[in-house]
Amino acid sequence: MPDHPLVPRPAEMSTAAPDGLVLTAATRIDAHHEARGTEAWLRTELGAATGFPLAPGDGQTAQIRLSVDPAAGLGAEGYRLIVDAAGALVVGHDAAGVFYGAQTLRQLLPAAAYRRAPAVGPVSWTLPSVHITDRPRFGWRGCMLDVGRHFLPKYDLLRFIDLLALHKLNVLHLHLTEDQGWRVEIKRYPRLTEVGAWRHESQVGAARPPVFDGRPHGGFYTQDDIREIVAYAAARHITVVPEIDIPGHSQAAIAAYPELGEGGPLDVGREWGVIENVLNVTDATLEFYRNVFDELLELFPSTYIHVGGDECPKTQWRASATAQARIREEGLGDEDGLQSWFIRHFDAYLAERGRRLVGWDEILEGGLASGATVMSWRGTEGGIAAAKAGHDVVMCPTATSYLDYRQSTSPDEPIPVGTLLTLEDVYAAEPVPEELAAAGAERVLGAQVNVWTEHMDSPRRVDYMVFPRLSAFAEVAWSPAGRDVAEFLPRLEGHLARLDALGVEYRPLDGPLPWQRRPGVAGRD
Ligand code: ACM
């Protein structure tokens, strides 16, 4: 294993002297005003693991110093970390840079630095002498989490945010609404969560005819929960981008308010897949969603607001007098044009409020809204087309980004998804397609992985599916281009010791442990 198994790999690192800085009960931290948040975070985290108070010091007495210097030429979110026997100095370009420098500092310590109480027996709390200059390759380093299919309780979501921060990711894309569940309290429409957040049972596995677990499932975040989640993430330099998926994937909302749909009353979805029941296109439905977004914008300060737009079957619209009349009156041509019109309505709504719309790549069909950012998931083609047309894009193609796909061909994998996506596949991803190398590369804001939870019915299962593939993705999004998996894997082993110390139930590199297996049809934990 390498001496300093840092993940993600920093842009530049050199080791200086053989000695380093030994942390003791007398070690003090000094932080500039803008670095105080990171100071408090470091004290809490390292304090728990070491038992040292890490008391505040000043320029004379502190061994660990955190400062911000936008003139140091480090670049947005960049930092320099210098450790020698006398002290450790983190200089960030901005507050985020200091935080990332402190994350690296923590990784330089033994993995016991990730425990919640001091280890029994002696640990050498020595920071090795290093000189690191680091900055991210991309400004959008994201993870989408689907809390619609299976609700992730708030406590587990906060823990998940810590794990994203450990990997220097900075966007949590929260997929809040689905056919199978609505997960955010909207005060004006209480039935969205009274009715839409609960289902009687869930499909398990992918068997046909479907098999159900006979067990109710549900949950939602109150507005106070959301404010807490957003603030907790912000303190870790993570922006929460909310997604309200429209006009497809809306059955839970229609179950709560049948007037939003095209047909009769519906239950909250119990089966997975692309569902025919979609929103209607009446003025009242548009107004309903504007009112939803009014509350959402109060809760989420993110510039980007995700409106979904994926997998909206057009069957009901083809048969709907209202939809057909709208197509004629607005001169939209066909149902793709109608979907584009629907999305453009919310593009204008968000732009008027200083926000920016982001949607899945289906929003290209029928014409892209003028201010839209595209998430390219069905491949890279959507992203390439959007970037060439002057739109920003986030790359998350299924072939390298879908963490709901199985991790090996072993029948022991606990997931009934046939497509294979190995750790190595994730590591090999290149967010900037060759087609954009000559022009358009600057439109690639970055990349993200997507965690769809049809078959992840507990936080433990999320751990298993997400890690360590997310650790590989962290290098795709953060580290300089040009990666070598043979160099990465030994470093990853050192990193897994950190995940062990944290209690993350990741997939071991050589396959699932017996209790993690769930062959055939996925059952209950
Ligand atoms: C998606 O996977 N439906 C965006």
Side-chain angles (χ1 to χ4, degrees):
M1 196 191 299
D3 287 345
H4 310 306
L6 302 179
V7 174
R9 182 170 62 83
E12 288 169 38
M13 173 161 91
S14 57
T15 42
D19 55 352
L21 175 69
V22 182
L23 307 190
T24 69
T27 302
R28 290 174 177 270
I29 309 182
D30 175 39
H32 279 189
H33 174 68
E34 290 158 85
R36 289 273 154 78
T38 293
E39 178 192 14
W41 173 84
L42 199 57
R43 180 169 297 119
T44 304
E45 300 294 337
L46 289 189
T50 60
F52 302 152
L54 300 167
D58 58 29
Q60 307 298 314
T61 59
Q63 291 75 29
I64 299 176
R65 283 168 290 143
L66 311 175
S67 66
V68 173
D69 182 2
L74 295 163
E77 302 180 273
Y79 68 91
R80 180 173 301 125
L81 168 60
I82 300 171
V83 182
D84 59 26
L89 174 65
V90 178
V91 180
H93 173 83
D94 43 28
V98 181
F99 181 69
Y100 296 128
Q103 287 281 9
T104 300
L105 183 152
R106 192 180 179 199
Q107 287 200 3
L108 287 168
L109 291 167
Y114 291 83
R115 294 194 181 272
R116 298 268 157 227
V120 178
V123 176
S124 168
W125 296 114
T126 304
L127 284 168
S129 289
V130 287
H131 193 136
I132 293 173
T133 308
D134 197 12
R135 60 180 292 189
R137 181 172 172 209
F138 293 105
W140 185 300
R141 305 179 300 280
C143 176
M144 186 228 63
L145 185 66
D146 166 18
V147 292
R149 265 53 172 267
H150 278 105
F151 178 65
L152 194 70
K154 184 192 73 179
Y155 180 84
D156 300 290
L157 185 57
L158 298 176
R159 172 183 176 276
F160 194 75
I161 287 169
D162 276 321
L163 294 172
L164 299 185
L166 161 65
H167 290 91
K168 299 189 172 79
L169 301 192
N170 67 350
V171 176
L172 170 61
H173 165 181
L174 211 47
H175 183 79
L176 285 165
T177 67
E178 255 308 331
D179 296 307
Q180 298 85 3
W182 182 286
R183 307 294 178 210
V184 53
E185 178 188 28
I186 300 295
K187 302 250 190 226
R188 188 172 178 137
Y189 301 118
R191 286 175 59 83
L192 285 172
T193 44
E194 285 168 8
V195 173
W198 311 94
R199 59 177 183 261
H200 303 304
E201 58 182 356
S202 312
Q203 183 181 355
V204 283
R208 287 280 152 211
V211 174
F212 295 94
D213 63 2
R215 175 175 62 138
H217 175 85
F220 66 93
Y221 308 113
T222 66
Q223 295 204 346
D224 282 344
D225 291 339
I226 294 285
R227 279 187 269 271
E228 180 186 357
I229 291 161
V230 166
Y232 189 88
R236 286 149 184 78
H237 299 277
I238 290 174
T239 301
V240 185
V241 174
E243 177 182 354
I244 300 289
D245 202 347
I246 51 174
H249 287 291
S250 299
Q251 185 166 324
I254 299 168
Y257 293 95
E259 61 272 26
L260 298 172
E262 286 285 1
L266 296 168
D267 284 336
V268 175
R270 303 176 305 147
E271 280 185 53
W272 316 126
V274 177
I275 290 177
E276 298 283 329
N277 300 307
V278 301
L279 297 179
N280 64 35
V281 293
T282 62
D283 288 338
T285 292
L286 292 175
E287 188 189 347
F288 182 100
Y289 274 91
R290 284 197 305 273
N291 292 335
V292 167
F293 279 111
D294 281 349
E295 290 192 33
L296 203 79
L297 298 193
E298 288 290 317
L299 295 171
F300 293 94
S302 164
T303 302
Y304 290 94
I305 303 291
H306 206 300
V307 301
D310 59 322
E311 298 178 324
C312 177
K314 306 295 185 316
T315 327
Q316 289 189 334
W317 287 355
R318 276 194 281 275
S320 153
T322 323
Q324 294 304 316
R326 189 71 92 175
I327 290 172
R328 275 195 310 279
E329 283 157 22
E330 302 281 346
L332 301 173
D334 60 12
E335 291 75 20
D336 283 345
L338 183 59
Q339 166 151 349
S340 170
W341 170 87
F342 196 99
I343 297 293
R344 275 187 276 121
H345 180 85
F346 288 97
D347 184 52
Y349 164 93
L350 290 170
E352 277 164 23
R353 287 155 186 80
R355 308 296 183 100
R356 299 189 59 183
L357 178 145
V358 52
W360 301 111
D361 58 40
E362 287 93 331
I363 66 171
L364 281 152
E365 291 161 12
L368 193 52
S370 61
T373 295
V374 170
M375 249 175 207
S376 193
W377 74 276
R378 293 179 296 178
T380 54
E381 297 76 12
I384 294 165
K388 287 196 167 157
H391 289 260
D392 288 340
V393 300
V394 174
M395 300 307 288
C396 51
T398 53
T400 52
S401 320
Y402 269 44
L403 301 191
D404 55 329
Y405 289 1
R406 66 191 303 119
Q407 304 188 66
S408 78
T409 52
S410 162
D412 285 340
E413 289 298 342
I415 212 89
V417 174
T419 322
L420 177 66
L421 181 66
T422 64
L423 177 81
E424 289 78 5
D425 294 332
V426 174
Y427 196 69
E430 171 45 53
V432 181
E434 268 173 31
E435 291 86 338
L436 297 179
E442 72 287 355
R443 289 293 182 186
V444 180
L445 300 180
Q448 69 176 38
V449 281
N450 295 333
V451 183
W452 299 104
T453 59
E454 287 94 333
H455 309 294
M456 297 178 216
D457 59 359
S458 73
R460 306 182 81 172
R461 187 68 66 207
V462 172
D463 270 12
Y464 178 85
M465 295 306 291
V466 172
F467 301 100
R469 290 186 292 187
L470 184 133
S471 311
F473 170 72
E475 301 221 341
V476 173
W478 176 281
S479 303
R483 290 175 300 278
D484 172 6
V485 75
E487 182 276 328
F488 171 63
L489 287 174
R491 248 182 323 110
L492 179 63
E493 269 190 50
H495 186 63
L496 294 181
R498 297 180 190 117
L499 300 187
D500 281 327
L502 283 165
V504 177
E505 297 192 1
Y506 58 84
R507 179 187 186 278
L509 296 181
D510 52 5
L513 298 169
W515 64 268
Q516 290 168 321
R517 295 175 193 154
R518 196 164 59 177
V521 172
R524 302 176 200 183
D525 272 346

